[in-house]
Amino acid sequence: MFFPTADDYLPLIGSWTDPYPAPVLDIQDGVIVVRDDLLGAGSKLRFADYLIGHDPSTREVREWVYGSCPATGYAQISLPVLCRRYSKSAVLFMAKRDLATRHEYQQRGLDEGGIYHWIPDGMLSVTEKRARDYVQDDPQHRRLLPIGLDHPTVLASIVRVARALPLTPRYVWSVGSSGTLTRGLQLAWPEADVHVVSVGHRMTDETGWRATVHASPYAFDKPVKDADMPPFPSAPTYDAKAWSVMQAWRRAGQPTGSILFWNVGA
């Protein structure tokens, strides 16, 4: 079986470097936490920066289109902020909701300039189809983003950002649905013991090549209870779901060596 390495991906982004402030590392209960909640719009700002702002093959793209974001998804915040930086538009196809039930992340996305197309009865397969159709109307200036922003240059950017940190962790934890982040971290630190907490469907191929998968006890759209929240700001329906699972793993196995937890946003 073929197992890719960082060297298979890093040439795709050339000499690109992360334009944002270096991730803040915060020690919480003996765990090294990557505090990308402090970016304000999440780790995708870093990870998709090359694709949206620097990739020569996307120079003519004016609209970045995404149809795979749930109401609680953080991409709807990251993409408008990132697109605005490069004078592009973020176009989101999402299930229609009443104003009164709109998720706070949806409002944040609107406030950041996201262009929303609200689709009645918008199951994921429907919003993704509408997004594809929209791109096909002008493929020169519109580009469809894959679910989880799962693109080779995004994986390469995760590797570069992670390897710029002043440490090599023994254990690496994150949450996952598309699996993009955990696969990038596996490439960055091939000797690390990698763990991912599945927060949506049952993850299979998305987990990459060597991650241990843990299922969250919470339903996909349910936030964690206060007792399970980490001691720092964290997305309650996403990143925060890994904290109590990781702590239970620590109590059961008493691991030795540094533990890193990647907090994407809040």
Side-chain angles (χ1 to χ4, degrees):
M1 182 180 294
F2 171 71
F3 293 97
T5 69
D7 290 338
D8 296 312
Y9 287 90
L10 287 173
L12 300 175
I13 59 173
S15 60
W16 175 85
T17 56
D18 181 8
Y20 293 92
V24 173
L25 300 180
D26 187 13
I27 307 297
Q28 294 283 351
D29 192 20
V31 176
I32 303 166
V33 181
V34 176
R35 293 286 309 277
D36 261 0
D37 56 287
L38 297 173
L39 269 180
S43 295
K44 287 181 174 65
L45 287 184
R46 308 183 191 277
F47 301 155
D49 182 84
Y50 176 85
L51 176 63
I52 289 176
H54 301 274
D55 190 339
S57 70
T58 65
R59 188 170 289 122
E60 294 188 16
V61 175
R62 298 172 185 166
E63 299 177 70
W64 286 94
V65 183
Y66 197 46
S68 306
C69 191
T72 57
Y74 222 80
Q76 64 189 316
I77 303 170
S78 305
L79 289 173
V81 173
L82 183 53
C83 285
R84 186 172 66 244
R85 179 185 182 102
Y86 294 108
S87 301
K88 313 285 186 180
S89 296
V91 180
L92 301 130
F93 285 76
M94 299 187 71
K96 186 176 182 179
R97 301 180 74 167
D98 293 335
L99 285 173
T101 61
R102 200 166 284 172
H103 193 272
E104 64 173 295
Y105 288 0
Q106 293 177 312
Q107 188 58 55
R108 287 173 65 182
L110 286 164
D111 292 343
E112 294 293 354
I115 300 169
Y116 282 73
H117 292 251
W118 302 106
I119 309 303
D121 301 317
M123 295 175 60
L124 180 64
S125 60
V126 177
T127 57
E128 289 182 332
K129 173 66 163 54
R130 295 291 186 88
R132 288 195 301 271
D133 291 346
Y134 181 79
V135 170
Q136 285 305 309
D137 287 340
D138 187 1
Q140 180 179 359
H141 300 115
R142 297 171 181 168
R143 185 65 56 88
L144 185 69
L145 287 158
I147 188 168
L149 309 192
D150 187 2
H151 189 274
T153 64
V154 172
L155 289 172
S157 300
I158 294 172
V159 172
R160 186 153 292 162
V161 171
R163 287 190 170 179
L165 298 177
L167 79 164
T168 301
R170 175 67 183 87
Y171 303 94
V172 175
W173 279 76
S174 67
V175 295
S177 182
S178 69
T180 306
L181 176 57
T182 186
R183 281 181 279 118
L185 297 178
Q186 289 171 53
L187 291 167
W189 294 308
E191 303 301 321
D193 184 355
V194 179
H195 296 256
V196 59
V197 176
S198 176
V199 296
H201 61 283
R202 184 174 179 271
M203 297 178 74
T204 54
D205 295 341
E206 305 97 332
T207 60
W209 312 279
R210 55 189 179 80
T212 299
V213 182
H214 307 260
S216 169
Y218 290 95
F220 176 68
D221 60 346
K222 298 300 182 183
V224 300
K225 297 177 181 178
D226 289 346
D228 289 337
M229 278 293 290
F232 49 86
S234 186
T237 58
Y238 199 63
D239 300 285
K241 291 179 177 178
W243 190 257
S244 61
V245 177
M246 180 184 64
Q247 298 293 42
W249 165 83
R250 292 176 70 191
R251 291 192 296 270
Q254 297 181 336
T256 58
S258 59
I259 303 171
L260 180 139
F261 173 71
W262 201 291
N263 193 54
V264 170

